[in-house]
Amino acid sequence: MIWKFDHDVQIELTCSSTSIESWKEFGTVNVEVVESHVAGPCREYAMLELPDELYVARTEIVRWLGAGLIVDAGIRLHFSDGRLLSVVAVDIPGAMCLTLPGHTEPQSWQFPANQYACVAVDETA
């Protein structure tokens, strides 16, 4: 999935499964920020364009904390108008749950929502 924020910046999101122990797999969301002129045409992905102008006020990494592991499972964008957009890996390998601004996030992604922590990007370094 690609989010186009303006004429210069695109964010490409992909989802993958990471094997940790024997058969256990954990979903991760991969984020790549790409300048539009470098990205070239997008033929494999559908473009997501939101109808409103939204300004990102805060970005968070959605982390699953369990079984002694920390897994970066998603991303949340908080907009200046108070709305939220999130993408979090689910229990189907390669799949993710997209929650658009104005909608309510689910109570469970791959695991129950209370097993996740949301960490602001400037706090992750």
Side-chain angles (χ1 to χ4, degrees), residues 1-3 11-15 29-31 45 75 87 96:
M1 168 187 326
I2 295 177
W3 294 338
I11 294 180
E12 180 177 349
L13 298 173
T14 57
C15 190
V29 171
N30 312 300
V31 180
Y45 304 98
I75 187 170
V87 177
M96 51 190 147

Side-chain angles (χ1 to χ4, degrees), residues 66-120:
L69 301 171
I70 298 173
V71 179
D72 290 345
I75 187 170
R76 294 170 84 195
L77 301 179
H78 293 264
F79 298 106
S80 58
D81 67 359
R83 292 189 287 171
L84 171 75
L85 185 138
S86 68
V87 177
V88 181
V90 295
D91 58 351
I92 301 167
M96 51 190 147
C97 177
L98 171 66
T99 304
L100 295 171
H103 293 84
T104 304
E105 289 181 318
Q107 295 298 307
S108 182
W109 290 298
Q110 182 172 2
F111 303 100
N114 64 358
Q115 294 182 13
Y116 294 82
C118 296
V119 181

Side-chain angles (χ1 to χ4, degrees), residues 9 12 18 21 48 52 54 62 77 83 85 92 102 106-107 123:
V9 177
E12 180 177 349
T18 304
E21 300 172 357
L48 172 63
D52 302 325
L54 298 170
V62 180
L77 301 179
R83 292 189 287 171
L85 185 138
I92 301 167
Q107 295 298 307
E123 297 175 9

Side-chain angles (χ1 to χ4, degrees), residues 34-67:
V34 182
E35 293 181 35
S36 295
H37 70 277
V38 174
C42 304
R43 294 190 183 141
E44 293 183 42
Y45 304 98
M47 297 291 282
L48 172 63
E49 293 190 36
L50 300 173
D52 302 325
E53 279 194 13
L54 298 170
Y55 298 95
V56 178
R58 188 173 77 218
T59 303
E60 295 175 329
I61 302 298
V62 180
R63 288 189 169 153
W64 178 70
L65 308 167

